[in-house]
Amino acid sequence: MKFNTALLHGDFQGEPNTGATTTPVYQSSAFAHESAEKLEKIFHNQAPGYSYTRISNPTVDAFEKRVTALEGGVASVACASGMAALYNAFCNILRSGDEIVSSASLYGGSIDLFRDLEAFGITTHYVENNDLAAFEAKTNEHTRLYFAETIGNPRLDVTDITALANLAHEHQVPLIIDNTVATAFLVKPLSLGADIVMNSSSKYINGHSNSISGIITDSGRFKWDVEKYPGMADFKKFGPFAYTAKLRNGLFRNTGACLSPQNAFYNCIGLETLGIRMERICDNAAELARFFVREYPDVTVNYPGLESSPWHEIAKKQFKDRFGGILTIRTGSKKRAFEIINALKLPLIISNIGDTKTLVIHPESTLNVHSTPEEKRDAGVFDDLIRISVGIEDVEDLIEDFRQAMDQSRPEKSKE
């Protein structure tokens, strides 16, 4: 099945007991069973079933299965937010003294999380994305994972997933990829060698800004060395499900960062239109980027779909014919950036991406406010930068709105 057909019909059966085409919201904190023996088997992983929504829930399970099929993995675990998914994905295998080697061009919240992990003795080394020599130089006997975003947010650099996965595997560490900005519509990182993929499903997967959530999907292919990853020793018996089994029976269950059934339901609804939304969003973003290049040479436009992008060739190789829904423009000053943002009538000023509506933000004063000057530079964050998350509006209307906002803020007019 092709992408959109699979979203609607792949590994999804609705509610067989009633014939409902959508899994209902099982808004229950706990689940009763006919005998103590049955519940005992569920707790000992000897029988399928539900006991407590903090651990699993039928509605959440339906969402997890659909994302697993979408990403081509063996299992998924849905969390209360994208940040919760990142924390669980990392700390499921990390302990004090371990180290991470990561691309430096990350979402500001991810950098903040890595800073928090320092208190637990976990160190992160940041290197230039796709600089394999730099990744290797920072790799040592304490390294336990590599991490990168498919498309850096907001730098918009594109990770060469296959090359980075090959290097990670040479050093016998897993590659974890944040696929939030690209989504499986553009690329399936597990098919290119990544071992674990996470998505902040609050974004494009949900698509309507009505739910916070994140999800981790395991390829099931990484061979866990129990000397290097001692926490995996009791779970090797689960074979390709070892990573997920450890997560569900430990950190995920004990920290309680579970996805609510209602939000899982919203995500299932949103997921069905991911393909057609991404088609429109990517096409709009490409057209808007070309508009800026064509009519406003005084701004610097960054979009992987432009031949001027340093990452255009990697993007073409991995994404085929579309390049994502985010672009950035550098306007020359923070003052002008604010003037443009404030003059826009259609885009919403929101710290989110992936909505049906176009969204704009000034990352330097918001999302990356806690980052150091060096971290901001490495992440592609500057005080004159505007990040634009393009929606599904008629692109002609978007262009006209940006035109009037840009014209109001032309530098020569600001001096009058």
Side-chain angles (χ1 to χ4, degrees), residues 330-372:
R330 293 191 63 181
T331 62
S333 69
K334 179 178 178 179
K335 178 177 182 292
R336 189 183 183 200
F338 274 36
E339 287 176 350
I340 293 169
I341 290 172
N342 292 337
L344 289 166
K345 299 174 182 178
L346 293 178
L348 304 177
I349 306 171
I350 286 181
S351 60
N352 193 23
I353 60 174
D355 199 302
T356 52
K357 305 174 188 67
T358 295
L359 315 175
V360 295
I361 197 168
H362 181 255
E364 193 273 337
S365 62
T366 55
L367 303 172
N368 291 80
V369 68
H370 302 299
S371 298
T372 65

Side-chain angles (χ1 to χ4, degrees), residues 13 102 214 239 294 352:
Q13 299 175 349
S102 171
R294 183 175 63 248
N352 193 23

Side-chain angles (χ1 to χ4, degrees), residues 198-355:
M198 69 76 54
N199 286 274
S200 176
S201 42
S202 319
K203 312 302 191 294
Y204 293 99
I205 286 177
N206 173 272
H208 301 84
S209 292
N210 60 27
S211 301
I212 297 294
S213 58
I215 190 160
I216 307 160
T217 305
D218 181 22
S219 71
R221 293 192 304 264
F222 190 77
K223 307 301 181 185
W224 299 101
D225 179 348
V226 296
E227 291 188 9
K228 207 168 189 177
Y229 303 92
M232 299 298 295
D234 292 339
F235 300 92
K236 289 277 286 184
K237 61 187 177 183
F238 292 100
F241 298 95
Y243 176 89
T244 302
K246 181 179 184 299
L247 184 56
R248 284 205 178 276
N249 285 276
L251 187 68
F252 172 75
R253 179 191 66 192
N254 297 333
T255 56
C258 56
L259 178 60
S260 74
Q262 187 70 50
N263 285 348
F265 175 80
Y266 291 144
N267 287 345
C268 286
I269 298 298
L271 194 59
E272 294 189 351
T273 60
L274 173 63
I276 58 174
R277 283 186 285 106
M278 286 299 290
E279 288 174 10
R280 177 64 170 258
I281 285 169
C282 292
D283 291 348
N284 279 359
E287 186 62 33
L288 189 61
R290 289 191 291 266
F291 157 75
F292 285 124
V293 171
R294 183 175 63 248
E295 301 196 23
Y296 296 92
D298 58 321
V299 303
T300 302
V301 186
N302 183 17
Y303 181 64
L306 297 174
E307 291 186 3
S308 59
S309 167
W311 306 283
H312 181 64
E313 292 304 315
I314 297 174
K316 276 205 307 184
K317 179 181 71 173
Q318 291 187 158
F319 304 155
K320 298 176 183 175
D321 57 353
R322 287 187 171 90
F323 300 92
I326 297 178
L327 64 137
T328 64
I329 57 172
R330 293 191 63 181
T331 62
S333 69
K334 179 178 178 179
K335 178 177 182 292
R336 189 183 183 200
F338 274 36
E339 287 176 350
I340 293 169
I341 290 172
N342 292 337
L344 289 166
K345 299 174 182 178
L346 293 178
L348 304 177
I349 306 171
I350 286 181
S351 60
N352 193 23
I353 60 174
D355 199 302

